[in-house]
């Protein structure tokens, strides 16, 4: 997916919502549990109820991996029902030596056909480059994450420059050299710093988790992070997909998504 | 597995060899390729030929993930044929917000029954703690990796302290609080710094990749990294499992493993 297509899709829908498919079998409504693949069935109904509102879906791979081989089948089937033109992001947080990252890239981009993958920066250039060698595929590099532990290392400070800033500066260099598209994960729980990342990467898309269950504020995120082509994908997972534990889960998810998109429309 | 059991196993075998099962279907000898599960069959024969020489096996998850659902089945079957008492390490380099890391921990420790998992530190405490909450399970935290990109962020320097050092210092704190066992990944391509990590973590086990295909030197690693109970697991993957491309691959792998263990015996 080309960035201009993503921007167009944001303009058309008035939404920069990414829905996180963190599908936990223990939280799937009971009436689905006797079906052959409850995870897929849950996802399918969520997608059907929200696909006019979301510009991206982000399966969190931990949830699929936890189900053993069957989980990967649920994931494959889920990807098939996401309509063309909606971005698919593998929330995988991979990153390894070159030859291993190359294999992860092949898996997510070729085998599963994802548009994007989240990548952890700790191992540096050769752990990220194999993902960026794909034209029209995306990396969302962890910069400033939304969890409490973000403070442990992301603020390690070299002559006034925190580690997360170095990650973004290096990332911008790498993106110049390689054909793929590079965005950054910047947590909604620290909106004041999203503006700093925006200064460093004026054109990049940010994938912003932490609105909803983790407490981030959409308005602040937009104020700090938006650029002329929006440049944001704000993710909500649990707040949408578990909006109701009952048979009306898909309807309730739609209602929650509508609420967020309503706010987004007023912010674009 | 308790650290004293690992140390005993090292003393008994005279080996601190970890064999990396980076099993690439494209490099499996032709005569195995018509079998129903060539990856498993390859691993089984490697394990059978080397299990008296290795104290740990380390499947690199990228290689299994790349095969889709079938890859995870090959992995499960492989784990079943690793003899009791040999450590199993999931080379997964996971790390995510708390609730997601918890799920990864459950997957690797409970569903697959691994003894250990490699974890990326970028997201900090709550991304690592869920793995360390398991008694008698292990985390190998990425500290100083063996790849060229290690220099990009691991040397980000705060008042003379490189990031990798802060990772080890924090890791040592966390290990005090939580029941799991914490070791560090310290690449053999930078043996001069393994000694620095040893000073920071005198008791910890180090998982040392990069001997062999990546060019690291075993003698230097031992000089820098060994402690009174050895405290090292030196990994070799490609150098052992692809020692021969022919029908004699398992025999050739054994010969390579014997060569390394011969050197190890003289170093312990």
């Amino acid at each position: 997916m080309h960035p201009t297509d993503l921007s167009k899709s944001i303009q058309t829908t008035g939404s920069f919502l990414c829905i996180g498919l963190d599908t936990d079998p223990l939280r799937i409504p009971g009436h689905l549990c006797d079906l052959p693949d409850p995870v897929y069935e849950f996802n399918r109904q969520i997608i059907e109820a929200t696909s006019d509102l979301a510009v991206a879906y982000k399966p969190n791979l931990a949830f699929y991996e936890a189900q053993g081989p069957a989980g990967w089948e649920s994931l494959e089937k889920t990807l098939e029902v996401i309509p063309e033109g909606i971005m698919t992001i593998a929330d995988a947080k991979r990153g390894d030596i070159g030859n291993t990252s190359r294999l992860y890239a092949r898996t997510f981009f070729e085998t599963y056909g994802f548009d994007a993958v989240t990548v952890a920066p700790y191992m540096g250039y050769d752990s990220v480059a194999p993902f960026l060698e794909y034209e029209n595929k995306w990396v969302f590099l962890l910069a400033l994450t939304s969890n409490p532990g973000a403070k442990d290392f992301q603020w390690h400070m070299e002559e006034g420059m925190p580690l997360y800033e170095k990650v973004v500066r290096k990332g911008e260099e790498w993106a110049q050299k390689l054909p793929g598209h590079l965005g950054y994960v910047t947590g909604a729980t620290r909106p004041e710093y999203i503006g700093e990342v925006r200064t460093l990467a004026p054109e990049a898309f940010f994938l912003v988790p932490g609105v909803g269950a983790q407490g981030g504020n959409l308005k602040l995120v937009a104020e700090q992070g938006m650029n002329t082509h929006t440049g944001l994908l704000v993710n909500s997972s649990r707040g949408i997909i578990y909006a109701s534990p009952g048979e009306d889960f898909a309807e309730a998810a739609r209602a929650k998504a509508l609420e967020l998109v309503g706010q987004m429309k007023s912010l674009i």
Side-chain angles (χ1 to χ4, degrees), chain A residues 103-253:
Chain A
L103 212 48
Y104 280 126
R106 203 175 78 197
T107 301
F108 294 119
F109 293 151
E110 298 185 39
T111 310
Y112 291 96
F114 277 102
D115 296 306
V117 59
T118 58
V119 174
Y122 192 76
M123 294 181 68
Y125 181 72
D126 62 299
S127 71
V128 181
F131 296 96
L132 284 174
E133 279 160 11
Y134 284 79
E135 215 164 322
N136 272 336
K137 298 286 186 180
W138 294 65
V139 165
F140 287 101
L141 193 61
L142 302 186
L144 195 57
T145 59
S146 57
N147 64 319
K151 69 175 188 324
D152 288 324
F153 304 122
Q154 293 165 28
W155 287 96
H156 191 66
M157 196 70 83
E158 181 175 281
E159 294 174 11
M161 187 196 290
L163 176 63
Y164 82 82
E165 184 179 327
K166 191 185 254 182
V167 168
V168 177
R169 287 184 185 275
K170 286 269 180 194
E172 291 296 280
E173 271 175 40
W174 302 341
Q176 294 297 317
K177 293 196 285 189
L178 295 164
H181 309 300
L182 183 61
Y184 301 95
V185 174
T186 54
T189 47
R190 290 176 178 74
E192 63 276 31
Y193 301 111
I194 295 180
E196 313 255 331
V197 182
R198 179 51 77 207
T199 315
L200 299 167
E203 293 301 315
F205 266 92
F206 298 169
L207 175 61
V208 185
V211 163
Q214 294 181 66
N217 178 310
L218 182 62
K219 192 161 171 285
L220 282 177
V221 166
E223 277 170 16
Q224 294 284 324
M226 214 173 258
N227 64 12
T228 54
H229 52 275
T230 310
L232 290 176
L233 290 172
V234 166
N235 183 76
S236 174
S237 304
R238 291 170 273 178
I240 291 180
I241 70 172
Y242 302 131
S244 157
E247 292 195 17
D248 65 339
F249 72 98
E251 238 172 284

